[in-house]
Amino acid sequence: MNNGVSNNKVYVVGHKNPDTDSICSAIAYADLKSKITGEDYSPRRAGQLNEETQYVLDHFQVEAPKLLSDLRVQVKDVELRNIEGIKGSVSIKSAWKSMKELNIKTLPVTRDSKLEGLITIGDIATSYMDVYDSRIISKAGTPFHNIVETLDGDMIHGDMDEEITSGKCLIAAANPDLMESYIEKDDIVILGNRYESQLCAIEMDASCLVICQGANISKTIKKMAEERDIVIIQTPHDTFTAARLINQSIPVKYFMSRDNLEIFHLNDYVEHVKEVMSKTKYRDFPILDNKGKFCGFLSRRRLMTSRKKQVILVDHNEKSQAVNGIEEAEVQEIIDHHRLGGLETIGPVYFRNQPVGCTATIIYQMYQESGVEVEPQMAGLLCSAIISDTL
């Protein structure tokens, strides 16, 4: 999906100090080319409108062309990979699943469309290989619904949206007498169907009981848990699997990269982006708009295949009068009535230059030659340009 300007758009633009002929010819020729080809031709202006031109546009109720100040390729001209951001509270397991489904290595973490950080496959690998802290689930502020989702479980009692802020995670594999020596207040206890172990965990004021293998939970245990506001989660997995999976419930915000991110904006120029990319090891780079909202990822491959802006010049053929960056654009045509200037193009172009009073005269001739009827608005603009420039 393309989040910027379409690569197929062709700009029709006059000179830097636009007069009525320059503006009206750009509008009319873009109209003619669109009708002939069925493609996207868009009129642009290279400077501020004068009072006469603004009067003409207002009189014929035609919108003024947008300003085109530079023809260098910008990020917004390149096709971006549109990926929906995930919330920072999403579990590592869910992020990994999304990466596999989308076949990507990086996910944006956003809030209200604003970029908070990036979670990568490397970050997820770190969460598996380098984490040995039994209190990491509480340090990360993991919500209970993440644990339920990760363990494919059911919430028997408790608030799904509550976050765990204290305690460690452990397996109750010993007898109740030994359990009393290592279970502490607010711990998350993974255990089986033994009533005595469940009772001991409750009496030691654990914050959460994870009951494995879908074991039945007695009414007494449920009642005691409700009275002490202890969460009970039932999972079909065995104790080993539950213990292995539970760290995957940690929210991505705990492991995501948030500092020193290489970020670009839609209006950044591609040449600058290429220079920065050549000095980094990353493959995908987040792109933001002028309001800081995440727009998508720009990859090295997409950047290298970016296409130059395509343009048709009207009412001028000199570089000094052309839009900045004209040397980096792909000039398709030049329609003019002035002397020949020193403008050089990359390849051959259609160049029509006639010794007439104004460019609008040539544009009208091209309407006639193409057999395209000139609509009243376009006729008014062309007539105004001819009167203005010829007289």
Side-chain angles (χ1 to χ4, degrees), residues 117-138:
L118 301 175
I119 185 76
T120 67
I121 286 181
D123 297 327
I124 294 178
T126 298
S127 74
Y128 281 103
M129 304 302 294
D130 294 346
V131 174
Y132 304 101
D133 186 354
S134 62
R135 296 182 183 271
I136 190 170
I137 290 177
S138 59

Side-chain angles (χ1 to χ4, degrees), residues 112-115 265-266 288-295:
D112 298 327
S113 299
K114 299 292 182 69
L115 186 70
H265 295 79
L266 288 176
L288 309 182
D289 65 12
N290 58 3
K291 295 182 180 179
K293 290 187 176 181
F294 176 75
C295 300

Side-chain angles (χ1 to χ4, degrees), residues 170-190:
L170 54 90
I171 299 174
N175 60 51
D177 291 338
L178 185 56
M179 285 172 58
E180 291 180 359
S181 65
Y182 62 81
I183 296 180
E184 300 175 333
K185 176 179 170 57
D186 294 335
D187 282 351
I188 303 168
V189 184
I190 302 174

Side-chain angles (χ1 to χ4, degrees), residues 43-303:
R44 289 291 189 269
R45 57 184 172 89
Q48 296 301 316
L49 301 180
N50 60 39
E51 292 183 6
E52 176 191 272
T53 306
Q54 188 64 62
Y55 173 82
V56 170
L57 295 179
D58 291 342
H59 180 79
F60 292 104
Q61 298 180 346
V62 176
E63 184 179 354
K66 294 179 180 178
L67 179 66
L68 180 63
S69 58
D70 203 307
L71 282 167
R72 288 179 293 171
V73 180
Q74 295 171 281
V75 172
K76 66 182 180 181
D77 303 313
V78 182
E79 187 177 3
L80 305 180
R81 184 163 191 173
N82 186 18
I83 298 174
E84 188 174 348
I86 60 173
K87 295 181 179 179
S89 60
V90 167
S91 69
I92 290 290
K93 181 181 179 181
S94 294
W96 172 251
K97 181 181 178 182
S98 295
M99 287 182 182
K100 289 197 298 182
E101 291 175 349
L102 297 171
N103 191 29
I104 58 176
K105 300 181 184 298
T106 306
L107 275 176
V109 181
T110 60
R111 177 187 293 180
D112 298 327
S113 299
K114 299 292 182 69
L115 186 70
E116 290 191 312
L118 301 175
I119 185 76
T120 67
I121 286 181
D123 297 327
I124 294 178
T126 298
S127 74
Y128 281 103
M129 304 302 294
D130 294 346
V131 174
Y132 304 101
D133 186 354
S134 62
R135 296 182 183 271
I136 190 170
I137 290 177
S138 59
K139 287 181 179 179
T142 306
F144 280 113
H145 70 75
N146 278 22
I147 295 180
V148 173
E149 177 189 36
T150 301
L151 298 181
D152 302 309
D154 295 306
M155 177 72 82
I156 305 302
H157 175 261
D159 181 1
M160 293 279 278
D161 296 324
E162 182 183 350
E163 291 187 359
I164 303 166
T165 57
S166 60
K168 61 183 181 294
C169 182
L170 54 90
I171 299 174
N175 60 51
D177 291 338
L178 185 56
M179 285 172 58
E180 291 180 359
S181 65
Y182 62 81
I183 296 180
E184 300 175 333
K185 176 179 170 57
D186 294 335
D187 282 351
I188 303 168
V189 184
I190 302 174
L191 34 68
N193 64 345
R194 294 177 60 185
Y195 175 85
E196 297 81 1
S197 298
Q198 297 173 6
L199 181 61
C200 178
I202 290 176
E203 290 178 341
M204 297 306 295
D205 210 12
S207 67
C208 176
L209 273 60
V210 178
I211 311 298
C212 296
Q213 294 184 307
N216 291 327
I217 305 166
S218 70
K219 292 181 180 179
T220 302
I221 292 296
K222 290 179 182 178
K223 183 177 180 181
M224 293 180 67
E226 291 173 1
E227 290 174 349
R228 300 192 184 204
D229 199 24
I230 296 174
V231 174
I232 297 181
I233 297 173
Q234 186 182 58
T235 174
H237 298 298
D238 58 56
T239 305
F240 170 78
T241 304
R244 182 174 61 85
L245 291 176
I246 196 165
N247 273 6
Q248 296 181 26
S249 65
I250 297 172
V252 295
K253 63 184 178 183
Y254 189 78
F255 290 104
M256 71 181 182
S257 302
R258 66 178 83 221
D259 299 320
N260 302 316
L261 299 178
E262 202 65 72
I263 295 172
F264 299 110
H265 295 79
L266 288 176
N267 290 328
D268 287 344
Y269 292 106
V270 164
E271 286 305 312
H272 164 69
V273 175
K274 285 182 179 178
E275 182 180 348
V276 175
M277 278 189 177
S278 66
K279 300 175 182 178
T280 64
K281 62 181 179 180
Y282 305 112
R283 294 183 178 182
D284 297 296
F285 299 81
I287 305 300
L288 309 182
D289 65 12
N290 58 3
K291 295 182 180 179
K293 290 187 176 181
F294 176 75
C295 300
F297 281 122
L298 177 60
S299 66
R300 292 177 183 272
R301 179 181 62 81
R302 291 174 188 264
L303 184 66

